[in-house]
Amino acid sequence: MDLSKIAVSINKAINTQEVAVKEKHARTCILGTHHEKGAHTFWAAVNRLPLSSNAVLCWKFCHVFHKLLRDGHPNVIKDSMRNKADLTDMSRMWGHLSEGYGKLCSVYLKLLITKMDFHVKNPRFPGNLQMSNRQLDEAGENDVNNFFQLTVEMFDYLECELNLFLSVFSSLDMSRSVSVTAAGQCRLAPLIQVILDCSHLYDYTVKLLFKLHSCLPADTLQGHRDRFQEQFKKLKSLFYRSSNLQYFKRLIQIPQLPENPPNFLRASALSEHISPVVVIPAEASSPESEHVVETDELVDTDVPVLPPAVETKFDDLFGTSAAIDPFNFNSQNGMRKDDKDRLIDQLTREIQALKDELESFRLESGRLCQALRGRVSELEAELAEQSHLRLQAAGESEFLRAELEDVRRVREDTEKEQRSLTEIEKKAQANEQRYNKLKEKYTELVQSHADLLRKNAEVTRQMTVAQAAQDEVEAVRREMQEKVKAAQETSDRQESQQLQQLQELQGELLSSRAELESLKASVTSSQQSSETLGSQLEALQSEKAELVQSLSALEVELVSRGVELEQAQGLLAAERESGAKAAETLQNQLNQKESREQALESQLAEARWSSLQGALEEAQKIVQESLAQIDDPAHIGCTSSADYLASRCQASLDCMERLRVAREGYCADDSSVAELARVLIHSGHLLGDTIVQGSATSHMVPVEQAEALSDSVKACGAAALALLADMKQRDSLAAADDGGLRAALEAVMATAVKLRPKGLELQQGELGDLVEQEMAATSAAVESAAARIEEMLNKSRAVDTGVKMEVNERILASCTELMQAIKELVLSSKDLQRDIVESGRGAATTKEFYVKNSRWTEGLISASKAVGWGATVMVDAADLVVQGEGKFEELMVCSHEIAASTAQLVAASKVKADKDSGNLRRLQQASRGVTQAAAAVVASTKSGKSQIEDTDTMDFSSMTLTQIKRQEMDSQVLVLELETRLQRERERLGELRKKHYELAGAAEGWGEAEGGQGTG
């Protein structure tokens, strides 16, 4: 595709005509971005257009640029980020207009900037926002923090879309059919892109909120739900209003949202959610083709009449019909027509029918041709769209293929690690089982050993008992032997005694028979006792035999117990030997397990150290990228505020303390490496953000302070890299000193505090008193200016005459009226200010109210200063003009400045005023009076200037040809010099205005809300 053709299409699409952008030109621009894989040609053509001077041109540029961001090549967003600063300035410039295309351009540019920022932060989202549920999950990386932040960014994105929607509708008069007019279609055409974006953003927001409610408490997401409720109501209303417009009915099918928003507190409500689908009908044609079709239908719709020559020729051949022939006497007389007349009538009717049929064929063929042309255009558009989709799908497939290869490699590595981990776990389980079995065997051996010891003790005890029993038997045997011996001795003694007595009796036998009988009786008794002793001896002998028998049985049992004891001792020795061997084997296995555990612990320590090294390298990479970014020429247009830089420095210092604690914890126990890695990554991000914000802040301050701040930021980056390099060594990790980095951060923070707006340093008493002082000073300045004007008027009347006196009186009179109007405005502002303070301060004092609303107070002080300064400068300019030494242009510029200053004062007072306040209405009336008086000063100044210039007539009658030629050349040189000076002064004026906006924004906090987002 030729680049010149693309440039021509861009200029045709973006023009000053208040009509909708033609689709064929926009489609050519889109195809051009895919052809050159970027938007260089588009921006080269756009930068030559006067977008800042023509609102319609800027509006159509926004429409075409929105289409390129959605359907153009993905590199369009990257190429367009270089022009983000210009788009921001243009949006701010158009934002000063309160109506018409200027306000719409400001809102549209903010939307486009937000869209670019969103896609840069979230590169996974394509320009047309079409994603599957899986891609949406991957965009959040399964991190609830990422989903939370992504939801907030989508809310901001959708808010900008709704603001443009509302701005376009509020600028149209809905009481008339504006959608069928060219001007109305010019404003409504970009809303098609907005509707497509809103449908996707609403769908993704609902799904993300359900996901967040499944992970976070409901109270945490209360703010998200409230914001969604508000945006749901606006989007539902806008979709309904758009679907009723005639312009959208053929171009797009707008979905209708449900009656009630989803209930995120009920997880099953996700299944009831239906994603809104925007349908662009296939038969829908572009607005310009519709216009052509309607125009064609309005022209030549009647059946054409045959030319007169044809009718005359027909009448010449067949004659006229009977109904209109005055000489048809047969008809007049009621006679019947003959066959020729009937044939003529029949042929006439057939010819008329053929004419009608031919005309219907002609109309039908025209409609078919038109429909075929529309269908061809649609097919061409569809072909281009399919080509674009094919290219996009090819890019996505290539990206997905690479991503699939990475996933496969990661999965293979993971499977290998999983297999090795499984094998290690299996080995550990086997070792554990073997250890348990050995432990059980050892327990059994100990138990059997204890049993054997108990048996040995029992046998020993039994042997002791048997030995005691044997000793007792021996004692009994000895006792029985002694008893038997004593009994024998007793019996021997008795026998001897009896023999002795027998001898004595035998000796005495002779002496007495009586004694013999008594002796016989005593012998008989002795024999009886001897028998008794014999029976006793027999009983003792039988008892002795039993004791000997029991003793032999005990000896046999003792011998058998001794044999059992020897066997038990042998078995115990064998068991002890086997137990010692098993214990030795178990001890060897335990030692092997301990060695393996030590090896695993060393591997784990190495893995922890490698993960820490990865975190350190990532933090180093973030800091290095930030240092490289501040040297990038594209970063020069990025700005930030000193307050935001100070907050970033404070966050970095707090993170340094967390890093110190985490490092000490890791040195004490390396298992806490995860906390140290998280703190390191967080520190890297905060330090990188501090470096970038410090460089961006240096772009907003004078050169000397900017260089000092830039050097401090670079020193901070060098200290951070040095600290991270020390932490990468095992030996220096614990001893790494972060004092240098802390000192560098504190230096940057001190510089940021110095660069904060001076108005923020006022104390409570100073700020409250300063308002009263400035208002009093403004009133005094106005009074003084009025007195000086009266004095100048009296002097002029006394000195000047004629035209000069008339001009001076007119100018000074208009200046006096302007001073009176300003005085009335200042008094009304004081009254309104008093009402605001009384209604808003509550129980607080007036000074406390001013301090609480310091930004509003500073704006009021600034506006009051501007009014007093403008009055003083205008009086000085008027004095010089009256004396003939000043310029009328200075007086006109002072009038314009006074009008602008009073408008600023009114705006500052109106911010916190009640819209139904009577003092507010008086202030607005006084503001209109000041504007009219300033216009009167300008008019009187212009009139006086022209009146004085008319008196100085040019007389060239006495000049020669050479003199006139010389004067002509001098005039041309002067004209060229003045034109060059005019151009230079215009450029200087533009730079002064930019610098004024920047200083005013820094002093009054205009950019605080977007200070942190101004980088990137």
Side-chain angles (χ1 to χ4, degrees):
M1 183 178 289
D2 191 4
L3 295 179
S4 60
K5 182 179 178 182
I6 298 174
V8 170
S9 298
I10 293 172
N11 291 326
K12 287 183 178 180
I14 306 174
N15 53 43
T16 57
Q17 297 178 3
E18 195 175 359
V19 295
V21 176
K22 292 187 178 181
E23 288 296 327
K24 60 180 181 180
H25 300 322
R27 185 163 56 250
T28 304
C29 298
I30 294 172
L31 293 176
T33 61
H34 289 282
H35 177 71
E36 67 170 346
K37 295 181 174 55
H40 300 290
T41 304
F42 173 76
W43 282 109
V46 167
N47 289 332
R48 294 193 293 267
L49 298 176
L51 300 179
S52 300
S53 59
N54 193 311
V56 177
L57 191 69
C58 183
W59 176 255
K60 299 182 77 172
F61 154 74
C62 294
H63 185 190
V64 175
F65 185 38
H66 197 175
K67 281 180 171 288
L68 294 184
L69 290 177
R70 279 187 52 83
D71 303 324
H73 194 272
N75 290 336
V76 172
I77 297 176
K78 299 178 182 177
D79 296 340
S80 302
M81 287 301 294
R82 304 167 185 165
N83 300 276
K84 178 183 173 183
D86 296 335
L87 296 178
T88 304
D89 294 339
M90 196 185 307
S91 173
R92 188 176 300 151
M93 187 269 294
W94 284 118
H96 292 293
L97 301 180
S98 60
E99 59 185 9
Y101 278 100
K103 180 181 178 182
L104 296 180
C105 290
S106 176
V107 177
Y108 208 164
L109 287 169
K110 289 180 181 177
L111 168 60
L112 296 177
I113 293 170
T114 304
K115 182 177 181 66
M116 289 193 296
D117 291 338
F118 177 81
H119 288 291
V120 169
K121 292 180 182 178
N122 304 280
R124 292 178 181 268
F125 283 83
N128 55 12
L129 296 175
Q130 293 181 359
M131 294 182 70
S132 62
N133 292 334
R134 182 180 62 82
Q135 292 173 335
L136 184 62
D137 293 337
E138 293 175 354
E141 299 177 355
N142 293 325
D143 189 352
V144 67
N145 297 320
N146 294 341
F147 285 124
F148 192 92
Q149 181 63 27
L150 182 60
T151 307
V152 174
E153 293 174 0
M154 284 192 176
F155 278 143
D156 298 337
Y157 191 175
L158 185 57
E159 188 70 28
C160 293
E161 302 273 6
L162 296 177
N163 289 338
L164 179 60
F165 230 132
L166 292 171
S167 300
V168 172
F169 276 174
S170 62
S171 66
L172 297 175
D173 186 4
M174 290 303 177
S175 62
R176 297 181 295 172
S177 299
V178 293
S179 64
V180 297
T181 63
Q185 292 179 0
C186 182
R187 299 192 183 193
L188 291 174
L191 295 186
I192 296 177
Q193 312 298 320
V194 176
I195 292 171
L196 292 171
D197 287 345
C198 288
S199 63
H200 291 300
L201 290 174
Y202 167 77
D203 184 32
Y204 299 154
T205 305
V206 171
K207 293 177 180 177
L208 289 177
L209 283 176
F210 273 111
K211 187 178 291 295
L212 287 176
H213 278 80
S214 65
C215 302
L216 297 176
D219 296 339
T220 306
L221 300 172
Q222 182 63 41
H224 280 48
R225 290 197 299 274
D226 295 340
R227 194 171 183 185
F228 176 81
Q229 297 278 349
E230 180 182 357
Q231 292 186 353
F232 175 81
K233 294 178 182 178
K234 291 182 182 179
L235 187 60
K236 179 178 175 62
S237 173
L238 293 173
F239 274 10
Y240 177 74
R241 292 174 64 184
S242 301
S243 61
N244 293 328
L245 291 178
Q246 186 66 28
Y247 176 69
F248 291 121
K249 288 187 177 179
R250 284 194 233 174
L251 297 180
I252 189 171
Q253 183 177 347
I254 302 174
Q256 297 297 326
L257 299 182
E259 289 295 329
N260 298 316
N263 184 8
F264 300 109
L265 301 179
R266 184 167 56 88
S268 60
L270 178 59
S271 60
E272 302 172 2
H273 169 65
I274 301 175
S275 301
V277 179
V278 180
V279 180
I280 299 179
E283 66 274 8
S285 58
S286 61
E288 60 270 17
S289 64
E290 291 182 359
H291 180 70
V292 172
V293 172
E294 292 176 359
T295 306
D296 292 341
E297 290 179 354
L298 294 174
V299 180
D300 294 335
T301 57
D302 296 333
V303 177
V305 182
L306 288 174
V310 177
E311 293 183 352
T312 306
K313 186 176 181 181
F314 181 83
D315 292 338
D316 292 339
L317 291 174
F318 298 99
T320 58
S321 61
I324 60 174
D325 189 4
F327 300 100
N328 190 352
F329 297 101
N330 293 329
S331 176
Q332 292 177 357
N333 298 328
M335 298 178 62
R336 296 180 58 188
K337 295 181 180 181
D338 56 5
D339 294 338
K340 183 179 179 180
D341 293 336
R342 287 195 298 273
L343 181 60
I344 290 171
D345 293 338
Q346 183 178 357
L347 291 175
T348 303
R349 287 191 298 272
E350 289 178 0
I351 289 172
Q352 187 64 35
L354 290 174
K355 288 181 181 179
D356 296 340
E357 188 174 358
L358 178 61
E359 186 61 28
S360 63
F361 284 158
R362 187 179 302 153
L363 294 176
E364 183 66 24
S365 64
R367 284 193 294 272
L368 289 176
C369 289
Q370 188 65 34
L372 289 174
R373 290 193 194 97
R375 184 58 179 169
V376 168
S377 300
E378 293 173 6
L379 291 176
E380 289 177 352
E382 187 175 353
L383 179 59
E385 182 68 21
Q386 292 298 328
S387 301
H388 165 59
L389 292 177
R390 182 178 60 79
L391 293 174
Q392 186 176 1
E396 290 182 357
S397 64
E398 191 66 27
F399 173 73
L400 292 175
R401 191 177 295 109
E403 197 173 74
L404 181 60
E405 290 296 330
D406 295 339
V407 171
R408 286 177 178 173
R409 287 195 295 271
V410 172
R411 186 179 64 183
E412 290 176 359
D413 296 339
T414 306
E415 288 178 354
K416 291 179 181 178
E417 294 177 357
Q418 188 68 27
R419 285 195 295 270
S420 62
L421 181 61
T422 305
E423 292 175 358
I424 291 172
E425 289 179 352
K426 289 181 179 178
K427 290 180 180 179
Q429 290 178 358
N431 293 332
E432 188 69 24
Q433 292 176 359
R434 194 176 296 110
Y435 172 74
N436 292 332
K437 290 180 179 179
L438 291 174
K439 186 177 180 181
E440 292 176 357
K441 187 66 175 176
Y442 180 74
T443 305
E444 291 177 358
L445 290 175
V446 171
Q447 186 67 29
S448 62
H449 185 212
D451 294 339
L452 290 175
L453 289 176
R454 284 195 295 272
K455 289 182 180 179
N456 188 14
E458 184 68 23
V459 170
T460 303
R461 187 180 63 80
Q462 291 180 358
M463 288 178 63
T464 303
V465 173
Q467 188 68 30
Q470 186 176 4
D471 293 340
E472 186 178 356
V473 169
E474 286 293 334
V476 171
R477 186 169 60 81
R478 286 194 297 271
E479 185 179 357
M480 293 301 295
Q481 288 178 355
E482 290 176 354
K483 287 183 178 180
V484 170
K485 189 180 292 185
Q488 288 179 354
E489 290 176 354
T490 304
S491 62
D492 290 339
R493 282 194 306 270
Q494 289 179 356
E495 286 179 357
S496 62
Q497 289 177 2
Q498 287 176 2
L499 288 175
Q500 187 177 1
Q501 289 176 1
L502 181 56
Q503 289 174 2
E504 289 177 358
L505 290 173
Q506 286 176 357
E508 291 178 358
L509 184 57
L510 298 173
S511 62
S512 174
R513 291 285 185 182
E515 290 179 2
L516 182 58
E517 290 295 333
S518 61
L519 288 170
K520 287 182 180 179
S522 62
V523 170
T524 302
S525 61
S526 300
Q527 289 178 352
Q528 290 178 352
S529 62
S530 177
E531 291 175 358
T532 304
L533 290 173
S535 61
Q536 289 179 354
L537 180 62
E538 289 177 358
L540 289 173
Q541 289 178 349
S542 62
E543 187 176 356
K544 177 182 177 182
E546 290 177 358
L547 289 175
V548 170
Q549 188 177 2
S550 63
L551 179 61
S552 61
L554 287 174
E555 288 178 352
V556 172
E557 184 178 1
L558 182 60
V559 171
S560 64
R561 292 295 177 88
V563 173
E564 290 179 359
L565 180 59
E566 291 177 358
Q567 293 177 353
Q569 287 178 350
L571 181 62
L572 180 60
E575 289 291 339
R576 283 180 178 175
E577 184 178 359
S578 63
K581 292 181 180 180
E584 183 178 0
T585 305
L586 182 61
Q587 186 65 34
N588 293 331
Q589 292 177 353
L590 288 176
N591 293 333
Q592 293 177 0
K593 183 178 180 182
E594 289 177 355
S595 63
R596 283 195 298 269
E597 288 179 354
Q598 291 177 357
L600 291 175
E601 288 179 356
S602 62
Q603 293 177 1
L604 181 60
E606 290 297 328
R608 290 170 178 169
W609 177 251
S610 62
S611 65
L612 180 60
Q613 291 294 312
L616 287 168
E617 291 176 358
E618 183 67 20
Q620 280 184 332
K621 188 184 297 182
I622 293 170
V623 176
Q624 290 171 354
E625 289 178 354
S626 301
L627 290 174
Q629 186 177 358
I630 65 177
D631 295 331
D632 189 358
H635 182 67
I636 296 176
C638 299
T639 60
S640 182
S641 65
D643 287 336
Y644 187 71
L645 176 59
S647 65
R648 294 292 86 193
C649 291
Q650 186 60 45
S652 300
L653 288 171
D654 296 340
C655 195
M656 286 297 100
E657 182 63 24
R658 289 179 54 201
L659 179 61
R660 183 186 62 78
V661 175
R663 188 177 59 186
E664 292 177 354
Y666 174 77
C667 293
D669 183 10
D670 60 353
S671 62
S672 59
V673 65
E675 179 64 22
L676 181 57
R678 283 195 295 270
V679 176
L680 276 172
I681 298 297
H682 190 203
S683 302
H685 283 290
L686 287 176
L687 290 172
D689 195 13
T690 302
I691 293 170
V692 174
Q693 296 298 332
S695 178
T697 305
S698 67
H699 300 157
M700 296 289 295
V701 299
V703 178
E704 296 180 356
Q705 296 177 345
E707 291 179 354
L709 181 58
S710 180
D711 294 340
S712 300
V713 168
K714 290 180 180 178
C716 179
L721 292 177
L723 176 62
L724 294 175
D726 291 340
M727 292 180 65
K728 291 183 72 172
Q729 303 296 328
R730 289 182 183 269
D731 300 335
S732 59
L733 175 62
D737 186 15
D738 59 351
L741 180 56
R742 289 178 179 270
L745 286 172
E746 290 173 356
V748 175
M749 188 171 181
T751 306
V753 171
K754 291 179 182 179
L755 294 177
R756 294 179 65 187
K758 301 301 181 182
L760 301 176
E761 299 174 0
L762 293 174
Q763 300 298 325
Q764 293 187 3
E766 296 178 2
L767 189 62
D769 295 338
L770 189 57
V771 177
E772 301 295 335
Q773 293 173 5
E774 288 299 332
M775 295 301 291
T778 302
S779 300
V782 173
E783 292 289 345
S784 176
R788 286 185 60 190
I789 290 173
E790 187 66 26
E791 183 181 352
M792 285 188 289
L793 182 60
N794 294 332
K795 287 182 180 180
S796 176
R797 287 173 180 172
V799 176
D800 298 328
T801 59
V803 176
K804 188 174 182 181
M805 184 182 70
E806 182 182 353
V807 171
N808 291 341
E809 285 184 351
R810 190 184 310 123
I811 292 175
L812 293 176
S814 61
C815 289
T816 303
E817 293 177 359
L818 179 59
M819 291 298 114
Q820 293 295 330
I822 294 174
K823 186 187 300 183
E824 183 65 26
L825 177 71
V826 172
L827 294 176
S828 301
S829 177
K830 286 183 177 180
D831 295 338
L832 180 60
Q833 178 188 346
R834 191 179 303 110
D835 291 346
I836 292 172
V837 173
E838 291 298 328
S839 61
R841 69 185 180 90
T845 63
T846 303
K847 293 181 179 181
E848 291 175 351
F849 175 79
Y850 284 134
V851 172
K852 181 180 179 182
N853 301 275
S854 59
R855 290 298 182 198
W856 172 76
T857 305
E858 290 167 4
L860 192 64
I861 292 172
S862 176
S864 179
K865 283 182 179 180
V867 171
W869 174 83
T872 304
V873 173
M874 192 193 74
V875 172
D876 294 338
D879 191 8
L880 294 175
V881 169
V882 171
Q883 294 176 8
E885 300 175 356
K887 297 180 180 180
F888 290 96
E889 288 79 4
E890 292 181 359
L891 191 58
M892 288 188 285
V893 170
C894 291
S895 301
H896 288 305
E897 287 296 328
I898 287 177
S901 301
T902 54
Q904 182 182 357
L905 180 61
V906 172
S909 302
K910 188 179 178 181
V911 169
K912 290 189 174 295
D914 187 4
K915 62 180 181 178
D916 297 330
S917 174
N919 288 327
L920 177 60
R921 288 193 293 271
R922 285 194 294 274
L923 179 62
Q924 292 173 343
Q925 184 66 30
S927 174
R928 286 191 287 270
V930 171
T931 303
Q932 294 172 1
V937 171
V938 173
S940 62
T941 304
K942 289 182 179 180
S943 176
K945 179 182 178 183
S946 61
Q947 190 174 358
I948 291 177
E949 289 176 350
D950 290 342
T951 59
D952 300 333
T953 58
M954 299 181 184
D955 186 10
F956 306 114
S957 59
S958 62
M959 298 177 66
T960 64
L961 178 61
T962 304
Q963 292 175 343
I964 291 175
K965 187 65 176 177
R966 183 57 182 269
Q967 291 289 335
E968 181 181 353
M969 293 177 63
D970 293 340
S971 298
Q972 289 178 355
V973 171
L974 183 60
V975 167
L976 292 176
E977 290 177 353
L978 291 175
E979 287 179 351
T980 304
R981 184 179 176 185
L982 176 62
Q983 182 65 25
R984 189 162 54 249
E985 289 297 328
R986 281 179 176 171
E987 293 176 357
R988 184 170 178 267
L989 177 61
E991 293 298 328
L992 287 173
R993 284 180 176 173
K994 287 183 180 179
K995 192 62 178 177
H996 175 264
Y997 292 152
E998 292 176 1
L999 294 177
E1004 299 183 13
W1006 294 350
E1008 282 188 351
E1010 53 188 14
Q1013 301 174 358
T1015 63

